[in-house]
Amino acid sequence: MYLTKEEEKILNGEYGWGLAKAMQVIVSVGDSLNSEKLIGITHAHISGVSYGNIGEPGKKLIKQFSDEGIKFSVKTTVNPIGYDTLDYDAIPFTKIDRNYIKGQEEVLRSLQKMGADLTLSCTPYYLPMVNEIKIGSSVAWGESNAVVYGNSVLGIKTNREGGPISLMAAIVGKIYYYGLHIEENRIPEIKYKVNKPENYEINEVRASIIGEIISKIHNNDKPPYLYEKLRNETTVKEFSASIGAAGNLAMVVIKGITPIKFNEKEINETITIDFNDIKKREDELKPNDKPDLIYFGCPHTSKYEIEKIAKYLKKVDNLKTQIVITSSRNEMSKIDKDVLNILKSKNVKLIGDTCLIVSPFGYHGLNVVTNSYKAYFYLSKKGINVSLISLDDLEEVLRL
Ligand code: F3S
């Protein structure tokens, strides 16, 4: 890989152990991918900051950097951790070990000392800082839903970086020129259409099923082109998360949404998804029993979604099911008092910094209803019975 003189100096340790170590990781991965050079990034989003995932080795490595006085070279945000920092016991059916909190707090202290903004959210795209990232600029994001959303909706460029790579890239402010950082790799070659009746609306559950189908069948190096209208922001977000969870894709060109220029006429392969296949999967995933818990917030809810939930709940007199919403502190800070009062009166748990997947939530056989395919995907692996409904069908589930 070609390195500038300055990059070579960093690599050779002229600026200290920490920078050299981070540069070595970036360069060796770049070399193994046959990348020709490094490029600058404007932002990093670090996933894998949960002590439950990285354990003592991860904690020690981050602390070593922080003790060395290493600072992040670019604005850096971080993913959720396993608990709400303001109320450790906020998540129902969950026990948080106090030793775990100690380990996590040390990780967070180190990251903060290095200059990270402790956003503890998987929706960096809802943070005000996102307006500072220009379309077409390269970033190093390490949370799959954010990666897909960033590439497909914001038009910024990132590969699916693992936690360690996003950490090292944040330190050196660079990443290898590879994959989706290269413009031509972002131009789709296969179009996906849904064969459906008129007035068939693609809500977030249906969009996520489409995401699951595309993830399984797309067999091309370039991103798929979804030639369908996704009806709102919730749909786009949940679609991005399902694409990220169900397979390895990092981008989908979405009709009318992705800011990218390409010649549609050059796409000569179209794959049609039949709406009956979507319906079949939708029926399989539908709730039949009364849930023990209803969950919204994977990826973290927006203020708009929280308001929508409160609007539905206002009409419900005798709410018997526990509802949990996870969100970012930033979105939560924007919610009106009236909305908060409705949620409080319905005993809804509005929880920050975490989610039911990253936390040690639940037990085998628990019944959870959610609008998130990604939550379904991961919670099911823990033996939790998860079914899917659209946020707009919340009233239907409350009648179960
Ligand atoms: Fe976010 Fe947790 Fe889902 S980190 S995308 S809410 S799994």
Side-chain angles (χ1 to χ4, degrees), residues 79-80 122 143 145 295 297-300 326 355 357-358 374 378:
N79 233 25
C122 52
E143 154 57 50
N145 99 81
Y295 176 47
C298 173
H300 277 171
T326 53
C355 73
I357 294 85
V358 181
K374 182 170 180 177
Y378 286 107

mmCIF file with all atom_site columns, all heavy atoms in Angstrom, residues 79-80 122 143 145 295 297-300 326 355 357-358 374 378, ligand 1:
data_model
loop_
_atom_site.group_PDB
_atom_site.id
_atom_site.type_symbol
_atom_site.label_atom_id
_atom_site.label_alt_id
_atom_site.label_comp_id
_atom_site.label_asym_id
_atom_site.label_entity_id
_atom_site.label_seq_id
_atom_site.pdbx_PDB_ins_code
_atom_site.Cartn_x
_atom_site.Cartn_y
_atom_site.Cartn_z
_atom_site.occupancy
_atom_site.B_iso_or_equiv
_atom_site.pdbx_formal_charge
_atom_site.auth_seq_id
_atom_site.auth_comp_id
_atom_site.auth_asym_id
_atom_site.auth_atom_id
_atom_site.pdbx_PDB_model_num
ATOM   1   N  N   . ASN A 1 79  ? -21.622 3.366   20.287 1.00 0.00 ? 79  ASN A N   1
ATOM   2   C  CA  . ASN A 1 79  ? -22.833 2.542   20.275 1.00 0.00 ? 79  ASN A CA  1
ATOM   3   C  C   . ASN A 1 79  ? -23.380 2.317   21.697 1.00 0.00 ? 79  ASN A C   1
ATOM   4   O  O   . ASN A 1 79  ? -22.707 2.619   22.671 1.00 0.00 ? 79  ASN A O   1
ATOM   5   C  CB  . ASN A 1 79  ? -22.471 1.187   19.642 1.00 0.00 ? 79  ASN A CB  1
ATOM   6   C  CG  . ASN A 1 79  ? -23.383 0.816   18.513 1.00 0.00 ? 79  ASN A CG  1
ATOM   7   O  OD1 . ASN A 1 79  ? -23.991 1.671   17.873 1.00 0.00 ? 79  ASN A OD1 1
ATOM   8   N  ND2 . ASN A 1 79  ? -23.503 -0.473  18.255 1.00 0.00 ? 79  ASN A ND2 1
ATOM   9   N  N   . PRO A 1 80  ? -24.585 1.738   21.802 1.00 0.00 ? 80  PRO A N   1
ATOM   10  C  CA  . PRO A 1 80  ? -25.155 1.469   23.127 1.00 0.00 ? 80  PRO A CA  1
ATOM   11  C  C   . PRO A 1 80  ? -24.344 0.471   23.951 1.00 0.00 ? 80  PRO A C   1
ATOM   12  O  O   . PRO A 1 80  ? -23.574 -0.328  23.416 1.00 0.00 ? 80  PRO A O   1
ATOM   13  C  CB  . PRO A 1 80  ? -26.530 0.872   22.795 1.00 0.00 ? 80  PRO A CB  1
ATOM   14  C  CG  . PRO A 1 80  ? -26.853 1.372   21.446 1.00 0.00 ? 80  PRO A CG  1
ATOM   15  C  CD  . PRO A 1 80  ? -25.544 1.450   20.728 1.00 0.00 ? 80  PRO A CD  1
ATOM   16  N  N   . CYS A 1 122 ? -27.221 3.737   18.660 1.00 0.00 ? 122 CYS A N   1
ATOM   17  C  CA  . CYS A 1 122 ? -26.930 3.097   17.370 1.00 0.00 ? 122 CYS A CA  1
ATOM   18  C  C   . CYS A 1 122 ? -27.534 3.879   16.206 1.00 0.00 ? 122 CYS A C   1
ATOM   19  O  O   . CYS A 1 122 ? -27.558 3.399   15.081 1.00 0.00 ? 122 CYS A O   1
ATOM   20  C  CB  . CYS A 1 122 ? -27.477 1.681   17.382 1.00 0.00 ? 122 CYS A CB  1
ATOM   21  S  SG  . CYS A 1 122 ? -29.207 1.644   17.881 1.00 0.00 ? 122 CYS A SG  1
ATOM   22  N  N   . GLU A 1 143 ? -21.517 -0.001  13.134 1.00 0.00 ? 143 GLU A N   1
ATOM   23  C  CA  . GLU A 1 143 ? -22.800 -0.551  13.598 1.00 0.00 ? 143 GLU A CA  1
ATOM   24  C  C   . GLU A 1 143 ? -23.603 -0.821  12.338 1.00 0.00 ? 143 GLU A C   1
ATOM   25  O  O   . GLU A 1 143 ? -23.861 0.097   11.552 1.00 0.00 ? 143 GLU A O   1
ATOM   26  C  CB  . GLU A 1 143 ? -23.476 0.475   14.528 1.00 0.00 ? 143 GLU A CB  1
ATOM   27  C  CG  . GLU A 1 143 ? -24.996 0.420   14.628 1.00 0.00 ? 143 GLU A CG  1
ATOM   28  C  CD  . GLU A 1 143 ? -25.515 -0.944  15.071 1.00 0.00 ? 143 GLU A CD  1
ATOM   29  O  OE1 . GLU A 1 143 ? -25.014 -1.479  16.074 1.00 0.00 ? 143 GLU A OE1 1
ATOM   30  O  OE2 . GLU A 1 143 ? -26.423 -1.479  14.395 1.00 0.00 ? 143 GLU A OE2 1
ATOM   31  N  N   . ASN A 1 145 ? -26.655 -1.356  11.248 1.00 0.00 ? 145 ASN A N   1
ATOM   32  C  CA  . ASN A 1 145 ? -27.827 -0.598  10.780 1.00 0.00 ? 145 ASN A CA  1
ATOM   33  C  C   . ASN A 1 145 ? -27.400 0.802   10.350 1.00 0.00 ? 145 ASN A C   1
ATOM   34  O  O   . ASN A 1 145 ? -27.889 1.346   9.358  1.00 0.00 ? 145 ASN A O   1
ATOM   35  C  CB  . ASN A 1 145 ? -28.923 -0.554  11.865 1.00 0.00 ? 145 ASN A CB  1
ATOM   36  C  CG  . ASN A 1 145 ? -28.933 0.732   12.668 1.00 0.00 ? 145 ASN A CG  1
ATOM   37  O  OD1 . ASN A 1 145 ? -29.469 1.746   12.223 1.00 0.00 ? 145 ASN A OD1 1
ATOM   38  N  ND2 . ASN A 1 145 ? -28.306 0.729   13.834 1.00 0.00 ? 145 ASN A ND2 1
ATOM   39  N  N   . TYR A 1 295 ? -41.896 -4.139  22.511 1.00 0.00 ? 295 TYR A N   1
ATOM   40  C  CA  . TYR A 1 295 ? -40.627 -3.409  22.435 1.00 0.00 ? 295 TYR A CA  1
ATOM   41  C  C   . TYR A 1 295 ? -40.503 -2.576  21.163 1.00 0.00 ? 295 TYR A C   1
ATOM   42  O  O   . TYR A 1 295 ? -40.687 -3.085  20.051 1.00 0.00 ? 295 TYR A O   1
ATOM   43  C  CB  . TYR A 1 295 ? -39.469 -4.426  22.501 1.00 0.00 ? 295 TYR A CB  1
ATOM   44  C  CG  . TYR A 1 295 ? -38.101 -3.802  22.324 1.00 0.00 ? 295 TYR A CG  1
ATOM   45  C  CD1 . TYR A 1 295 ? -37.744 -2.643  23.021 1.00 0.00 ? 295 TYR A CD1 1
ATOM   46  C  CD2 . TYR A 1 295 ? -37.149 -4.373  21.480 1.00 0.00 ? 295 TYR A CD2 1
ATOM   47  C  CE1 . TYR A 1 295 ? -36.494 -2.076  22.869 1.00 0.00 ? 295 TYR A CE1 1
ATOM   48  C  CE2 . TYR A 1 295 ? -35.889 -3.812  21.330 1.00 0.00 ? 295 TYR A CE2 1
ATOM   49  C  CZ  . TYR A 1 295 ? -35.568 -2.662  22.027 1.00 0.00 ? 295 TYR A CZ  1
ATOM   50  O  OH  . TYR A 1 295 ? -34.335 -2.092  21.869 1.00 0.00 ? 295 TYR A OH  1
ATOM   51  N  N   . GLY A 1 297 ? -37.658 0.294   19.466 1.00 0.00 ? 297 GLY A N   1
ATOM   52  C  CA  . GLY A 1 297 ? -36.386 0.990   19.695 1.00 0.00 ? 297 GLY A CA  1
ATOM   53  C  C   . GLY A 1 297 ? -35.159 0.233   19.278 1.00 0.00 ? 297 GLY A C   1
ATOM   54  O  O   . GLY A 1 297 ? -34.063 0.457   19.787 1.00 0.00 ? 297 GLY A O   1
ATOM   55  N  N   . CYS A 1 298 ? -35.319 -0.668  18.315 1.00 0.00 ? 298 CYS A N   1
ATOM   56  C  CA  . CYS A 1 298 ? -34.164 -1.307  17.696 1.00 0.00 ? 298 CYS A CA  1
ATOM   57  C  C   . CYS A 1 298 ? -34.296 -1.093  16.187 1.00 0.00 ? 298 CYS A C   1
ATOM   58  O  O   . CYS A 1 298 ? -35.163 -1.695  15.584 1.00 0.00 ? 298 CYS A O   1
ATOM   59  C  CB  . CYS A 1 298 ? -34.100 -2.797  17.997 1.00 0.00 ? 298 CYS A CB  1
ATOM   60  S  SG  . CYS A 1 298 ? -32.801 -3.668  17.080 1.00 0.00 ? 298 CYS A SG  1
ATOM   61  N  N   . PRO A 1 299 ? -33.471 -0.220  15.601 1.00 0.00 ? 299 PRO A N   1
ATOM   62  C  CA  . PRO A 1 299 ? -32.551 0.747   16.178 1.00 0.00 ? 299 PRO A CA  1
ATOM   63  C  C   . PRO A 1 299 ? -33.292 1.789   17.038 1.00 0.00 ? 299 PRO A C   1
ATOM   64  O  O   . PRO A 1 299 ? -34.517 1.910   16.943 1.00 0.00 ? 299 PRO A O   1
ATOM   65  C  CB  . PRO A 1 299 ? -31.925 1.407   14.947 1.00 0.00 ? 299 PRO A CB  1
ATOM   66  C  CG  . PRO A 1 299 ? -32.174 0.471   13.818 1.00 0.00 ? 299 PRO A CG  1
ATOM   67  C  CD  . PRO A 1 299 ? -33.447 -0.213  14.123 1.00 0.00 ? 299 PRO A CD  1
ATOM   68  N  N   . HIS A 1 300 ? -32.532 2.532   17.812 1.00 0.00 ? 300 HIS A N   1
ATOM   69  C  CA  . HIS A 1 300 ? -33.119 3.509   18.739 1.00 0.00 ? 300 HIS A CA  1
ATOM   70  C  C   . HIS A 1 300 ? -34.208 4.361   18.084 1.00 0.00 ? 300 HIS A C   1
ATOM   71  O  O   . HIS A 1 300 ? -34.031 4.852   16.970 1.00 0.00 ? 300 HIS A O   1
ATOM   72  C  CB  . HIS A 1 300 ? -32.012 4.424   19.277 1.00 0.00 ? 300 HIS A CB  1
ATOM   73  C  CG  . HIS A 1 300 ? -31.268 3.810   20.429 1.00 0.00 ? 300 HIS A CG  1
ATOM   74  N  ND1 . HIS A 1 300 ? -30.132 4.361   20.964 1.00 0.00 ? 300 HIS A ND1 1
ATOM   75  C  CD2 . HIS A 1 300 ? -31.534 2.699   21.174 1.00 0.00 ? 300 HIS A CD2 1
ATOM   76  C  CE1 . HIS A 1 300 ? -29.713 3.614   21.982 1.00 0.00 ? 300 HIS A CE1 1
ATOM   77  N  NE2 . HIS A 1 300 ? -30.540 2.593   22.114 1.00 0.00 ? 300 HIS A NE2 1
ATOM   78  N  N   . THR A 1 326 ? -36.561 1.977   23.660 1.00 0.00 ? 326 THR A N   1
ATOM   79  C  CA  . THR A 1 326 ? -35.176 2.418   23.852 1.00 0.00 ? 326 THR A CA  1
ATOM   80  C  C   . THR A 1 326 ? -34.857 3.498   22.813 1.00 0.00 ? 326 THR A C   1
ATOM   81  O  O   . THR A 1 326 ? -35.328 3.458   21.674 1.00 0.00 ? 326 THR A O   1
ATOM   82  C  CB  . THR A 1 326 ? -34.165 1.249   23.741 1.00 0.00 ? 326 THR A CB  1
ATOM   83  O  OG1 . THR A 1 326 ? -34.377 0.540   22.518 1.00 0.00 ? 326 THR A OG1 1
ATOM   84  C  CG2 . THR A 1 326 ? -34.309 0.290   24.895 1.00 0.00 ? 326 THR A CG2 1
ATOM   85  N  N   . CYS A 1 355 ? -30.157 -1.234  24.761 1.00 0.00 ? 355 CYS A N   1
ATOM   86  C  CA  . CYS A 1 355 ? -31.275 -1.850  24.047 1.00 0.00 ? 355 CYS A CA  1
ATOM   87  C  C   . CYS A 1 355 ? -31.454 -3.259  24.584 1.00 0.00 ? 355 CYS A C   1
ATOM   88  O  O   . CYS A 1 355 ? -30.589 -3.758  25.309 1.00 0.00 ? 355 CYS A O   1
ATOM   89  C  CB  . CYS A 1 355 ? -31.026 -1.867  22.541 1.00 0.00 ? 355 CYS A CB  1
ATOM   90  S  SG  . CYS A 1 355 ? -29.781 -3.073  22.031 1.00 0.00 ? 355 CYS A SG  1
ATOM   91  N  N   . ILE A 1 357 ? -31.179 -5.949  23.173 1.00 0.00 ? 357 ILE A N   1
ATOM   92  C  CA  . ILE A 1 357 ? -30.304 -6.952  22.558 1.00 0.00 ? 357 ILE A CA  1
ATOM   93  C  C   . ILE A 1 357 ? -28.906 -6.886  23.198 1.00 0.00 ? 357 ILE A C   1
ATOM   94  O  O   . ILE A 1 357 ? -28.300 -7.918  23.484 1.00 0.00 ? 357 ILE A O   1
ATOM   95  C  CB  . ILE A 1 357 ? -30.232 -6.733  21.022 1.00 0.00 ? 357 ILE A CB  1
ATOM   96  C  CG1 . ILE A 1 357 ? -31.601 -7.008  20.409 1.00 0.00 ? 357 ILE A CG1 1
ATOM   97  C  CG2 . ILE A 1 357 ? -29.223 -7.653  20.352 1.00 0.00 ? 357 ILE A CG2 1
ATOM   98  C  CD1 . ILE A 1 357 ? -32.574 -5.895  20.405 1.00 0.00 ? 357 ILE A CD1 1
ATOM   99  N  N   . VAL A 1 358 ? -28.413 -5.686  23.406 1.00 0.00 ? 358 VAL A N   1
ATOM   100 C  CA  . VAL A 1 358 ? -27.078 -5.554  23.996 1.00 0.00 ? 358 VAL A CA  1
ATOM   101 C  C   . VAL A 1 358 ? -27.116 -5.864  25.498 1.00 0.00 ? 358 VAL A C   1
ATOM   102 O  O   . VAL A 1 358 ? -26.150 -6.351  26.075 1.00 0.00 ? 358 VAL A O   1
ATOM   103 C  CB  . VAL A 1 358 ? -26.487 -4.138  23.739 1.00 0.00 ? 358 VAL A CB  1
ATOM   104 C  CG1 . VAL A 1 358 ? -25.092 -4.011  24.336 1.00 0.00 ? 358 VAL A CG1 1
ATOM   105 C  CG2 . VAL A 1 358 ? -26.415 -3.851  22.248 1.00 0.00 ? 358 VAL A CG2 1
ATOM   106 N  N   . LYS A 1 374 ? -34.549 -6.722  13.303 1.00 0.00 ? 374 LYS A N   1
ATOM   107 C  CA  . LYS A 1 374 ? -33.231 -6.954  13.908 1.00 0.00 ? 374 LYS A CA  1
ATOM   108 C  C   . LYS A 1 374 ? -33.385 -7.482  15.332 1.00 0.00 ? 374 LYS A C   1
ATOM   109 O  O   . LYS A 1 374 ? -32.658 -8.397  15.744 1.00 0.00 ? 374 LYS A O   1
ATOM   110 C  CB  . LYS A 1 374 ? -32.390 -5.667  13.890 1.00 0.00 ? 374 LYS A CB  1
ATOM   111 C  CG  . LYS A 1 374 ? -31.003 -5.881  14.472 1.00 0.00 ? 374 LYS A CG  1
ATOM   112 C  CD  . LYS A 1 374 ? -30.072 -4.710  14.249 1.00 0.00 ? 374 LYS A CD  1
ATOM   113 C  CE  . LYS A 1 374 ? -28.717 -5.001  14.866 1.00 0.00 ? 374 LYS A CE  1
ATOM   114 N  NZ  . LYS A 1 374 ? -27.741 -3.935  14.622 1.00 0.00 ? 374 LYS A NZ  1
ATOM   115 N  N   . TYR A 1 378 ? -32.043 -11.240 16.669 1.00 0.00 ? 378 TYR A N   1
ATOM   116 C  CA  . TYR A 1 378 ? -31.107 -11.519 17.764 1.00 0.00 ? 378 TYR A CA  1
ATOM   117 C  C   . TYR A 1 378 ? -31.776 -12.075 19.017 1.00 0.00 ? 378 TYR A C   1
ATOM   118 O  O   . TYR A 1 378 ? -31.223 -12.949 19.673 1.00 0.00 ? 378 TYR A O   1
ATOM   119 C  CB  . TYR A 1 378 ? -30.286 -10.267 18.094 1.00 0.00 ? 378 TYR A CB  1
ATOM   120 C  CG  . TYR A 1 378 ? -29.247 -10.005 17.019 1.00 0.00 ? 378 TYR A CG  1
ATOM   121 C  CD1 . TYR A 1 378 ? -29.385 -8.959  16.121 1.00 0.00 ? 378 TYR A CD1 1
ATOM   122 C  CD2 . TYR A 1 378 ? -28.147 -10.844 16.886 1.00 0.00 ? 378 TYR A CD2 1
ATOM   123 C  CE1 . TYR A 1 378 ? -28.442 -8.746  15.113 1.00 0.00 ? 378 TYR A CE1 1
ATOM   124 C  CE2 . TYR A 1 378 ? -27.204 -10.642 15.887 1.00 0.00 ? 378 TYR A CE2 1
ATOM   125 C  CZ  . TYR A 1 378 ? -27.353 -9.594  15.000 1.00 0.00 ? 378 TYR A CZ  1
ATOM   126 O  OH  . TYR A 1 378 ? -26.433 -9.398  14.010 1.00 0.00 ? 378 TYR A OH  1
HETATM 127 FE FE1 . F3S B 2 .   ? -29.296 -0.652  18.140 1.00 0.00 ? 1   F3S B FE1 1
HETATM 128 FE FE2 . F3S B 2 .   ? -29.353 -2.566  19.862 1.00 0.00 ? 1   F3S B FE2 1
HETATM 129 FE FE3 . F3S B 2 .   ? -30.759 -2.746  17.682 1.00 0.00 ? 1   F3S B FE3 1
HETATM 130 S  S1  . F3S B 2 .   ? -27.603 -1.428  19.293 1.00 0.00 ? 1   F3S B S1  1
HETATM 131 S  S2  . F3S B 2 .   ? -29.661 -1.584  16.171 1.00 0.00 ? 1   F3S B S2  1
HETATM 132 S  S3  . F3S B 2 .   ? -31.050 -1.258  19.297 1.00 0.00 ? 1   F3S B S3  1
HETATM 133 S  S4  . F3S B 2 .   ? -29.472 -4.315  18.492 1.00 0.00 ? 1   F3S B S4  1
#
